[in-house]
Amino acid sequence: MNTTLSIIKPDAVKRNLIGEINTMIEKNKMKIVAQKMILLSINDAQRFYDVHKDRAFFDDLCKYMISGPIVVQVLKGKDIVSNYRKLMGATNPSNADENTIRSKYGLSVEENSVHGSDSKENAKIEIQFFFSSKEIFGD
Ligand code: ADP
Ligand code: MG
């Protein structure tokens, strides 16, 4: 079993969807082994999304990610990186498969409700960005 980083983004936190999204995660046999609500600084958002710094949407993305609190989580489960990406659905909610988090709750390609790491290597880096090992409770 391995772990991935999940973020419930500001649009979803604002619309009271933390519980609904956590229910989808838990019903799909993924375990939340760490979770906290935080407000990113602009510097945090820019560092977290550094891979996208040359994209046209980068400034807007960073502004959106600091527009309200987010919930950061560590999820554990079988093939968790790819299984959570499947549960999230495509980046653009209008292209996301039915019954995915983004198809149900995403508002736009930017305000798409959740983040999930895209590889095992990035999961490790992203988990360390937000959590110390003492805050993670997977056995
Ligand atoms: P994903 O979150 O599916 O891995 P990306 O890593 O490509 O997608 O993009 C990171 C985030 O940047 C997306 O989740 C979304 O919030 C935002 N984003 C991506 N593409 C666009 C776009 N074309 N316009 C506005 N925002 C975008
Ligand atoms: Mg990505």
Side-chain angles (χ1 to χ4, degrees), residues 7-51:
I7 303 178
I8 303 177
K9 293 181 175 181
D11 68 275
V13 173
K14 271 181 198 146
R15 288 178 292 140
N16 265 4
L17 294 170
I18 298 168
E20 305 257 355
I21 291 170
N22 280 351
T23 298
M24 287 180 75
I25 290 168
E26 293 184 334
K27 287 225 156 112
N28 281 278
K29 298 196 169 74
M30 301 170 195
K31 195 165 179 71
I32 300 165
V33 294
Q35 174 170 266
K36 58 189 171 190
M37 187 181 282
I38 59 171
L39 183 64
L40 292 179
S41 66
I42 188 70
N43 181 53
D44 294 332
Q46 288 167 343
R47 280 195 302 128
F48 184 75
Y49 278 120
D50 188 61
V51 289

Side-chain angles (χ1 to χ4, degrees), residues 26-123:
E26 293 184 334
K27 287 225 156 112
N28 281 278
K29 298 196 169 74
M30 301 170 195
K31 195 165 179 71
I32 300 165
V33 294
Q35 174 170 266
K36 58 189 171 190
M37 187 181 282
I38 59 171
L39 183 64
L40 292 179
S41 66
I42 188 70
N43 181 53
D44 294 332
Q46 288 167 343
R47 280 195 302 128
F48 184 75
Y49 278 120
D50 188 61
V51 289
H52 294 308
K53 64 176 182 296
D54 297 324
R55 309 292 292 275
F57 60 79
F58 179 71
D59 285 347
D60 267 1
L61 171 61
C62 293
K63 271 187 216 149
Y64 153 60
M65 288 300 291
I66 68 166
S67 66
I70 60 173
V71 174
V72 289
Q73 309 173 307
V74 179
L75 307 183
K76 189 169 181 178
K78 189 169 167 285
D79 297 327
I80 190 73
V81 170
S82 59
N83 279 340
Y84 187 54
R85 295 283 304 188
K86 269 185 222 147
L87 181 64
M88 286 164 49
T91 306
N92 188 338
S94 46
N95 300 331
D97 290 342
E98 230 181 295
N99 294 321
T100 59
I101 297 170
R102 284 168 165 171
S103 77
K104 288 177 83 155
Y105 303 122
L107 298 175
S108 67
V109 66
E110 179 179 85
E111 295 189 293
N112 57 6
S113 303
V114 280
H115 167 88
S117 309
D118 62 7
S119 67
K120 258 189 175 178
E121 297 68 44
N122 285 337

